[in-house]
Amino acid sequence: MTIQIRTPWRAVSAMFAMNGALYGMWAARVPAVAERFDLSHAVLGLLLLLLAGGAIIAFPFAGRAADTRGAARVTLWLAAANLVGLLLVGAAPSLWFLAPALLFFGASHGAMDVTMNTWATEVERQMGRPVMSSFHAMWSVGTGAGAISGYLALKGGMEVFSHFLLAGLLFSAVLLWFANIGWQSDLHPAEEGAKKGPIFTLPKGILLFAGLMAFGAAMGEGAMADWSAVYMVDVVGVGEADAALGFTVFASAMVVMRLAGDRVIRLFGPVATARGAGCVAFLGALLVVGFASPVMSVTGFALMGLGYAVIIPIAFTRAANDPDMSPGRAISAVSTLSYGGILLGPPLIGFVAEATSLRFGFGLLAALALLIIAFAFAVRPVGQLKKPAKAA
């Protein structure tokens, strides 16, 4: 009996893991890059906006490429481009080189996010069961692995470029091998209208509500990443070392739920799962805001991680099966909303906290969870399933 090592599920998982690993490597070395160029907080913030801006600009073009060239093929190209972008960031000799390098890295990262999710929906259709959540779990695992490589590089006194080159090539060589399976995307002549439509688009009809669900979850994720530790220090009153526990528990809960998410969706369906996830996130936000104690806050963060984890995978699956938009275009449209949520979450919490209090600012996350509950109807399966793609 021959054991097949490279399978469609593992191929797509490898691309999610690679995308996450390259991003995790960058995230781990942001302080080193800031120190190297003596960046102020304001300048660093502008550079990070270039990173995000590159991704948002690339989303619609990536969706068009996935629809016309094949999601799998374009994903492999973009994976290589994403590695090149990271190396350019690491090798930047000046701030004027670093800025366009970050724009390119962000664009290749965001474009790959769209195409690999489109490829994921093709594999999901072939398998005939929900698997999107597990792919997003692999992204989180990859991010953690990339961050760990940064920790080891720092302990070993390795410079940024050397770290990016060594770890980037190692991750890429293994993961690209898993991904290169000759997958042929299911391209339909009937989707010519999508190819001729406008490049920039937002979700339409019912899909708009699914996109707003993703926006709410992503906004919560972004706020948690930037404000959870601050909340633990300023509101709960713990030390800086213990404050990191909040986001660690939140991120760990997301990984656990994403690993289990496909089974939950199979048991209860996407609508009930999304609605239940929104309720769990809402309860978690109430615990965080209502009880300013370490135990209750950490418990609340864990519940929020469990609640947010499956929303974006469910929204992407719904987008890929939308009857009015091609898969790549629909996923790029939903990605624009979800990425917008990640960008808007942290500053919005900051503005509200400045005007009122940080505790009140976190209360917005409870409102976002209610948004998820209200719009859960939008992820009801539509027109499933399209003709499955086949591996060559």
Side-chain angles (χ1 to χ4, degrees), residues 39-113:
L39 303 177
S40 66
H41 289 168
V43 173
L44 179 59
L46 289 174
L47 289 173
L48 294 178
L49 278 179
L50 280 177
L51 188 76
I56 291 177
I57 292 170
F59 285 153
F61 295 99
R64 175 70 61 88
D67 287 335
T68 58
R69 300 290 183 180
R73 179 189 303 175
V74 179
T75 297
L76 294 174
W77 296 343
L78 289 171
N82 200 205
L83 173 61
V84 171
L86 182 68
L87 295 179
L88 289 174
V89 170
S94 67
L95 184 61
W96 298 109
F97 190 97
L98 178 64
L102 280 172
L103 184 69
F104 178 76
F105 178 58
S108 59
H109 177 83
M112 185 181 173
D113 187 89

Side-chain angles (χ1 to χ4, degrees), residues 59-65 67 192-202 204 324-326 328-330 332-333:
F59 285 153
F61 295 99
R64 175 70 61 88
D67 287 335
E192 283 296 327
K195 301 172 189 177
K196 297 177 182 178
I199 283 286
F200 294 94
T201 186
L202 289 175
K204 299 176 181 179
D324 301 318
M325 298 178 73
S326 62
R329 192 175 173 209
S332 70

Side-chain angles (χ1 to χ4, degrees), residues 1 14 56 61-62 76 79 89 95 105 121 131 145 147 163 170 246 269 302 308 318 320 330 348 351 380 385 388:
M1 180 179 178
I56 291 177
F61 295 99
L76 294 174
V89 170
L95 184 61
F105 178 58
T121 62
V131 291
H163 165 221
L170 179 61
Y308 292 143
R318 170 59 180 80
L348 181 60
F351 291 145
R380 184 175 293 109
L385 290 171

